[in-house]
Amino acid sequence: MDMIELLWTGAEDVKLRLIVLIVLANMLLALRLYGTMSKARFRAAKEGRVTVDTYRATQSEPEDLAVFNRAVVNQFESPVLFYAIIAIGLALKITSWLTVILALAYVALRWRHALEMVGDHEVLKRRQLFIYSFYALIGLMAELFISALLWL
């Protein structure tokens, strides 16, 4: 039982700092994708493939540019749940080393997913990475739920 307690309470400062760094790494991914999308759009504009009218609500981007937009949009879907889980866990002071490991796995998989999407874009590989990241997210939710119940 002492080992389980240590898993939740050991090295609080280190856990907190690691979780903050992991969350920042996920935020950095969104910023990186914004930058990549911006460069691709600028390059397409210089080549004359898009105009200002392309970005009006009634126009659509060429497929090779739309993938960057979808990659950015993806950073505001399941990551929102990730941020909420982490914030709730930190607010309730019920994070554990399992939280750190699952959060790190989630963010690493999200990075791989995004790089696959804007890179080779093998849909089945990207889907598999998404599913694995979703498993990590479910693990985080389950760990928060169980910890919250035990914390009461």
Side-chain angles (χ1 to χ4, degrees):
M1 192 66 165
D2 290 338
M3 188 64 161
I4 292 173
E5 187 175 337
L6 184 60
L7 180 65
W8 264 255
T9 60
E12 288 295 323
D13 288 346
V14 175
K15 269 192 314 194
L16 178 61
R17 289 176 191 275
L18 286 173
I19 288 172
V20 168
L21 290 172
I22 292 166
V23 168
L24 288 172
N26 205 58
M27 292 175 176
L28 180 63
L29 173 59
L31 294 176
R32 181 169 189 250
L33 289 171
Y34 270 119
T36 304
M37 179 178 66
S38 180
K39 287 178 186 175
R41 286 178 171 178
F42 186 73
R43 188 171 38 253
K46 282 179 69 174
E47 294 168 357
R49 296 188 309 119
V50 296
T51 65
V52 173
D53 290 335
T54 303
Y55 296 100
R56 296 191 193 283
T58 58
Q59 300 291 320
S60 61
E61 285 182 299
E63 182 61 28
D64 65 318
L65 296 179
V67 70
F68 295 105
N69 187 49
R70 284 194 308 272
V72 168
V73 168
N74 279 337
Q75 299 314 305
F76 297 95
E77 293 172 349
S78 75
V80 172
L81 296 174
F82 168 74
Y83 296 131
I85 292 165
I86 297 298
I88 292 167
L90 291 174
L92 295 177
K93 297 180 181 178
I94 55 173
T95 58
S96 72
W97 283 102
L98 183 58
T99 306
V100 174
I101 292 165
L102 289 170
L104 182 59
Y106 176 79
V107 171
L109 287 162
R110 293 300 300 169
W111 268 85
R112 292 217 29 228
H113 174 268
L115 295 176
E116 180 65 34
M117 186 173 203
V118 299
D120 294 339
H121 203 177
E122 293 179 35
V123 175
L124 294 179
K125 183 177 181 182
R126 183 173 58 94
R127 175 79 175 147
Q128 185 179 34
L129 291 166
F130 172 79
I131 289 169
Y132 290 153
S133 74
F134 205 73
Y135 288 157
L137 188 63
I138 290 170
L140 280 165
M141 278 191 238
E143 195 252 347
L144 177 63
F145 179 76
I146 291 166
S147 295
L149 284 177
L150 295 175
W151 185 64
L152 291 175

